[in-house]
């Protein structure tokens, strides 16, 4: 039995607060919670642990490779500038940073394959890293088989490049994908290799613009047959919206629905350019939308219509996407930014505090784990708990009657996090990750990245031309859809 004293407890998505409580944990769950006079002296605020329902287990920040302040469509190919690194090391750093920021549950849409070993060995290394750190993850196997450079045929784009840049981009970024049947088999082989002990496996189609109808249809059939969840990007940028409207004039969401890919087992990342009728279909099918507020701002994709999503009855969850506003993995800052953008104007409320807490604590658990349990602190609930330094948060407070949730929304940041428990295991103690030596791993990783940076010099030499060509290609608004 583990006990945790709390001066204040935010008990769940309704924002209810309890003062001076001792929380008892056993067998991975909250066993009991009782009043305790001694808990008042703990200086601790306890709340349900946070969920990051869309990420990629990446560790290199945009500013490290000169990939700042560009649109998504130019930002993505620039990731080729990152050298390949041992998959356990990079995943342990990624998940360690998440844990340090208070995240207990994370979607790892694995779109950046290191390729230094066989895929299943790499997946095993990533799963081991999650277990070593102690967080729960869904490993979404990326599936993709079309449009490697632009949304449609890329011949016109390549003609905008010099011969040397064209040759390099063609070689590095347009390699033939696995056949659709082999991609389906890889997902199931990955599940057989790594699922269990805090790790689940999902189908991870990159997005409809990157997946043929044949591949998407196979994913829908296999996911239904195995009861497996699916996670995919959807309508992240205005260019994806234009492509979707030209390619599926009867409606992209209608098309995905006909394929069997709009249901309670699927979560859609972004949804920045969704329309009200599409939101209603998503709500009716009980699918989840994962909004990535900072990422969409950083990558010039826009502001997701969260208020409209909520109005239409959608389940909406929070994602960080590995592209936080200040390049720090800080979900507390992310939820505050989302609330400021979407809470409403004047005296009208579009996103309530209850909506916000469900967004950050509960809805993502359904997307990642496929379960409604969690996001609360009550007997029987999963023991995924976050402890913050309440004394530091309230050191200058004048009015002791201010609700703890207001203080949290006004100023809490990752620096205030003291403890994280996942399934009752203490994953962070006094602000330090317990399962791995995160500072040492970050130092080791940076040294390796610097030593290997030269291995990507060829593609880095072609990227400025490619970025300019992409800007011209999309600015014309005449790109061919297929």
């Amino acid at each position: 039995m583990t006990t945790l004293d709390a001066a204040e407890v935010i008990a769940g998505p309704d924002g209810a607060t309890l003062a001076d409580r001792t929380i008892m944990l056993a067998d991975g769950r909250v066993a009991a919670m009782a009043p305790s006079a001694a808990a008042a002296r703990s200086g601790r605020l306890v709340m349900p642990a946070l969920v990051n329902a869309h990420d990629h287990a990446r560790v290199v920040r945009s500013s490290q490779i000169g990939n700042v302040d560009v649109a998504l469509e130019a930002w993505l190919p620039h990731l080729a500038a990152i050298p390949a690194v041992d998959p356990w090391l990079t995943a342990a750093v990624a998940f360690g940073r998440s844990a340090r920021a208070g995240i207990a549950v994370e979607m790892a849409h694995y779109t950046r394959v290191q390729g230094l070993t066989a895929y299943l060995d790499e997946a095993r290394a990533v799963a081991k890293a999650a277990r070593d750190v102690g967080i729960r993850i869904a490993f979404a196997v990326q599936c993709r088989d079309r449009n490697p450079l632009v949304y449609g045929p890329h011949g016109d784009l390549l003609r905008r490049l010099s011969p040397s840049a064209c040759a390099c981009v063609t070689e590095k970024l347009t390699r033939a994908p696995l056949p659709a049947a082999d991609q389906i088999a890889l997902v199931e082989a990955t599940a057989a290799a790594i699922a269990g002990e805090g790790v689940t496996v999902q189908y991870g189609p990159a997005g409809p613009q990157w997946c043929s109808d044949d591949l998407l249809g196979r994913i829908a059939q296999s996911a239904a047959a195995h009861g497996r969840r699916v996670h995919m990007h959807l309508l992240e940028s205005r260019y994806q919206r234009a492509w979707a409207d030209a390619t599926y004039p009867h409606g992209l969401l209608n098309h995905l629905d006909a394929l069997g890919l709009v249901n309670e087992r699927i979560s859609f990342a972004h949804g920045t350019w969704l329309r009200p009728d599409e939101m209603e279909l998503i709500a009716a099918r009980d699918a989840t939308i994962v909004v990535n507020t900072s990422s969409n701002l950083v990558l010039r994709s826009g502001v997701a219509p969260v208020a409209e999503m909520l109005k239409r009855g959608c389940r909406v969850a929070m994602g960080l996407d590995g592209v936080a506003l200040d390049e720090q993995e800080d979900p507390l800052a992310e939820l505050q930014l989302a609330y400021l953008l979407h809470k409403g104007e004047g005296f009208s409320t579009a996103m309530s505090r209850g909506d916000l807490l469900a967004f950050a604590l509960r809805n993502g658990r359904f997307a990642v784990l496929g379960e409604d349990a969690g996001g609360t602190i009550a007997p029987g609930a999963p023991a995924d708990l976050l402890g913050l330094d309440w004394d530091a948060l309230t050191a200058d407070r004048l009015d002791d009657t201010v609700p703890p949730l207001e203080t949290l929304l006004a100023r809490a940041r990752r620096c205030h996090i003291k403890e994280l428990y996942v399934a009752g295991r203490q994953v962070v103690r006094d602000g330090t990750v317990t399962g791995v030596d995160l500072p040492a791993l970050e130092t080791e990783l940076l040294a390796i990245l610097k030593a290997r940076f030269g291995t990507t010099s060829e593609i880095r030499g072609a990227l400025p031309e490619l970025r300019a060509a992409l800007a011209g290609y999309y600015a014309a608004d005449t790109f061919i859809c297929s």
Side-chain angles (χ1 to χ4, degrees):
M1 178 83 69
T2 299
T3 61
L4 185 64
D5 288 335
E8 299 286 352
V9 177
I10 296 176
D14 61 357
T17 302
L18 303 171
D20 306 337
R21 291 295 193 273
T22 293
I23 305 167
M24 287 147 276
L25 314 178
D27 299 323
R29 296 194 171 271
V30 176
M33 183 163 52
S36 169
R41 299 188 296 273
S42 68
R44 182 187 289 119
L45 166 70
V46 176
M47 61 182 287
L50 297 155
V51 179
N52 180 4
H54 178 64
D55 218 294
H56 299 282
R58 287 191 295 257
V59 292
V60 174
R61 279 91 178 225
S62 296
S63 64
Q64 291 179 272
I65 56 171
N67 199 17
V68 174
D69 200 22
V70 293
L72 169 72
E73 284 72 16
W75 183 87
L76 287 170
H78 203 107
L79 298 179
I82 303 171
V85 178
D86 171 73
W88 180 88
L89 176 60
T90 190
V93 170
F95 298 143
R97 289 173 174 173
S98 293
R100 175 65 187 85
I103 292 166
V105 177
E106 182 160 299
M107 177 71 72
H109 194 185
Y110 204 64
T111 58
R112 167 72 180 173
V113 179
Q114 303 297 328
L116 299 175
T117 62
Y119 187 91
L120 292 183
D121 289 335
E122 181 160 340
R124 290 186 185 99
V126 174
K128 182 179 186 303
R131 291 170 179 137
D132 289 344
V133 171
I135 70 170
R136 310 177 196 253
I137 69 163
F139 184 97
V141 180
Q142 177 177 236
C143 303
R144 176 175 180 166
D145 67 349
R146 67 169 168 176
N147 297 343
L149 295 179
V150 292
Y151 309 136
H154 51 254
D156 179 60
L157 177 78
L158 292 176
R159 285 188 288 272
R160 297 168 183 258
L161 303 176
S162 67
S164 61
C166 178
C168 180
V169 168
T170 300
E171 177 190 358
K172 302 291 186 182
L173 302 180
T174 65
R175 295 170 181 170
L178 284 174
D182 292 350
Q183 295 194 47
I184 301 300
L186 181 61
V187 177
E188 293 308 319
T190 302
I194 70 171
E197 298 180 65
V199 176
T200 62
V201 173
Q202 298 194 13
Y203 280 92
Q209 65 279 357
W210 293 309
C211 297
S212 67
D213 287 349
D214 175 52
L215 178 57
L216 290 173
R218 289 172 183 265
I219 288 170
Q221 292 172 9
S222 186
H226 292 91
R228 195 170 305 289
R229 301 187 69 78
V230 180
H231 182 70
M232 67 188 297
H233 296 86
L234 180 72
L235 297 172
E236 183 174 356
S237 74
R238 74 180 186 91
Y239 304 114
Q240 292 176 11
R241 174 84 264 178
W243 172 88
D245 289 347
T247 307
Y248 301 106
H250 62 292
L252 173 60
L253 267 294
N254 291 330
H255 183 75
L256 293 175
D257 189 37
L259 289 173
L261 283 173
V262 187
N263 54 56
E264 73 283 353
R265 286 181 287 101
I266 192 161
S267 57
F268 295 115
H270 297 287
T272 317
W273 292 80
L274 281 167
R275 294 173 179 150
D277 63 307
E278 296 169 327
M279 298 175 201
E280 289 180 356
L281 177 58
I282 288 171
R285 297 289 188 269
D286 203 25
T288 303
I289 305 170
V290 184
V291 171
N292 304 272
T293 307
S294 289
S295 174
N296 290 342
L297 292 171
V298 171
L299 299 181
R300 296 171 172 252
S301 295
V303 177
V306 171
E308 191 68 25
M309 293 174 184
L310 294 171
K311 178 181 176 182
R312 303 285 171 170
C314 295
R315 180 193 295 111
V316 186
M318 180 177 75
L320 272 70
D321 199 21
V323 192
L325 201 61
D326 58 357
E327 298 198 319
Q328 300 297 314
E329 291 72 25
D330 194 338
L332 291 170
E334 187 76 11
L335 75 89
Q336 290 169 17
L337 177 63
Y339 188 55
L340 290 173
L341 283 173
H342 304 300
K343 63 182 179 180
E345 300 174 355
F347 293 99
S348 64
T349 297
M351 184 185 206
S352 69
R353 293 176 181 178
D355 292 331
L356 179 72
L357 291 176
F359 170 78
L361 306 178
R362 184 182 65 201
N363 292 347
R365 294 183 69 95
F366 184 78
V368 179
L369 304 177
E371 63 180 39
D372 288 315
T376 62
I377 302 178
D384 294 355
L385 306 179
L386 181 62
L388 290 89
D389 188 339
W390 185 238
D391 286 343
L393 282 166
T394 59
D396 62 350
R397 191 167 67 170
L398 301 178
D399 184 351
D400 288 339
T401 67
V402 174
L405 181 56
E406 290 191 7
T407 301
L408 183 82
L409 291 178
R411 57 172 55 186
R413 291 290 185 271
R414 66 192 296 271
C415 63
H416 295 111
I417 291 172
K418 303 298 289 183
E419 296 102 5
L420 174 67
Y421 289 83
V422 182
R425 170 186 171 185
Q426 188 165 21
V427 173
V428 174
R429 180 185 298 113
D430 293 327
T432 299
V433 178
T434 61
V436 299
D437 186 343
L438 181 58
L441 293 181
E442 289 181 308
T443 299
E444 179 185 356
L445 177 62
L446 182 58
I448 293 172
L449 287 168
K450 286 182 175 180
R452 296 183 182 174
F453 197 51
T455 63
T456 64
S457 60
E458 186 179 5
I459 187 64
R460 284 189 285 114
L463 286 173
E465 274 194 55
L466 179 59
R467 181 179 292 183
L470 286 164
Y473 179 86
Y474 284 106
D477 274 340
T478 57
F479 55 92
I480 301 171
C481 301
S482 68

